Amino acid sequence: MDNRTNVIAMMVLGAGIVALGTTIVSGEFFHSERPEKMGYTVEGVEAEAGGETAAVVPVAALLASADAAKGAEVFKKCAACHTIASGGPNGIGPNLYATVGEGIAEGKGGFAFSDALKTKAGGKWDFEALNTWLTSPRAYAPGTKMTFAGLSKPEDRANVIVYMNSQGSNLPLPAAPAPGAAPAKAPAGGTAGPAATPAAAPAAGKPGATGSGAPASGNSTAKPAPKG
């Protein structure tokens, strides 16, 4: 009986030694080290963040080619919270009839605007303000009650602004800037006038006086078009 017990004990001990040895050997082959940089790399994000910032297209240029019919389709994203018909009720958000050109956080049948938007009171919902608001309401008025993330496509914003303008506001659109127009930069030493043209020599043979070299009046920079 004792021999049998010893045999069993030796078998259990041997099995334990084999298991321990197997763990040690496998650990050497499949050893994993802590990575130098934790997490996963999302391809394209870092490169995009480090690239040049895209040029911002003036809202006036976008409005010139905007389509109110397309804006009506975009507005469907807003219809869960807003009405836009004349006399329509306030909902989660205020009725938006004749909003373009109105005072910010004013009127709308006593709608309870957020304190964040009230900080903009005194301003107007002009085309620039609406474009900025629709880009990101939270960035325009941090703390706003509006949970809508915004419209990332400039064309969508322009289309919905033109549509909203057609609903009771009908303000004239701002003039679009001329294609490629940019104010000219004068050189550090000032802009030189045209080269002086020597006058015809008088009959006596004395050298004639040269021109004064006054700068041309056409060198002024055009004023930008007024914003709506």
Side-chain angles (χ1 to χ4, degrees):
M1 189 69 176
D2 292 338
N3 291 337
R4 184 177 180 183
T5 301
N6 291 338
V7 170
I8 294 174
M10 290 177 66
M11 292 176 62
V12 172
L13 180 60
I17 293 172
V18 171
L20 179 61
T22 303
T23 301
I24 294 173
V25 172
S26 62
E28 291 297 327
F29 282 100
F30 301 102
H31 179 64
S32 61
E33 296 181 357
R34 180 184 177 85
E36 294 181 2
K37 186 176 181 180
M38 301 298 291
Y40 298 92
T41 301
V42 180
E43 297 295 337
V45 173
E46 186 174 349
E48 182 177 347
E52 296 182 359
T53 303
V56 177
V57 180
V59 66
L62 296 169
L63 293 173
S65 59
D67 186 334
K70 292 180 179 178
E73 291 298 313
V74 177
F75 188 83
K76 291 179 180 179
K77 299 179 180 180
C78 313
C81 300
H82 299 277
T83 62
I84 198 168
S86 176
N90 292 328
I92 297 174
N95 171 265
L96 297 179
Y97 182 77
T99 291
V100 182
E102 277 194 338
I104 299 175
E106 297 177 4
K108 301 304 183 187
F111 182 82
F113 293 99
S114 66
D115 292 337
L117 197 58
K118 287 178 182 178
T119 63
K120 304 291 184 179
K124 297 289 185 182
W125 283 125
D126 57 21
F127 298 105
E128 290 283 356
L130 281 170
N131 183 54
T132 306
W133 165 260
L134 290 171
T135 301
S136 175
R138 295 177 185 177
Y140 180 80
T144 178
K145 295 188 296 184
M146 187 167 175
T147 58
F148 183 62
L151 299 172
S152 60
K153 294 182 179 180
E155 294 79 8
D156 285 350
R157 297 195 299 271
N159 289 337
V160 80
I161 290 171
V162 168
Y163 169 68
M164 290 176 63
N165 188 47
S166 71
Q167 302 299 305
S169 297
N170 300 310
L171 300 181
L173 299 180
K185 295 182 179 179
T191 303
T197 303
K206 294 182 180 180
T210 58
S212 62
S217 62
N219 196 36
S220 61
T221 303
K223 295 182 180 179
K227 296 178 181 178

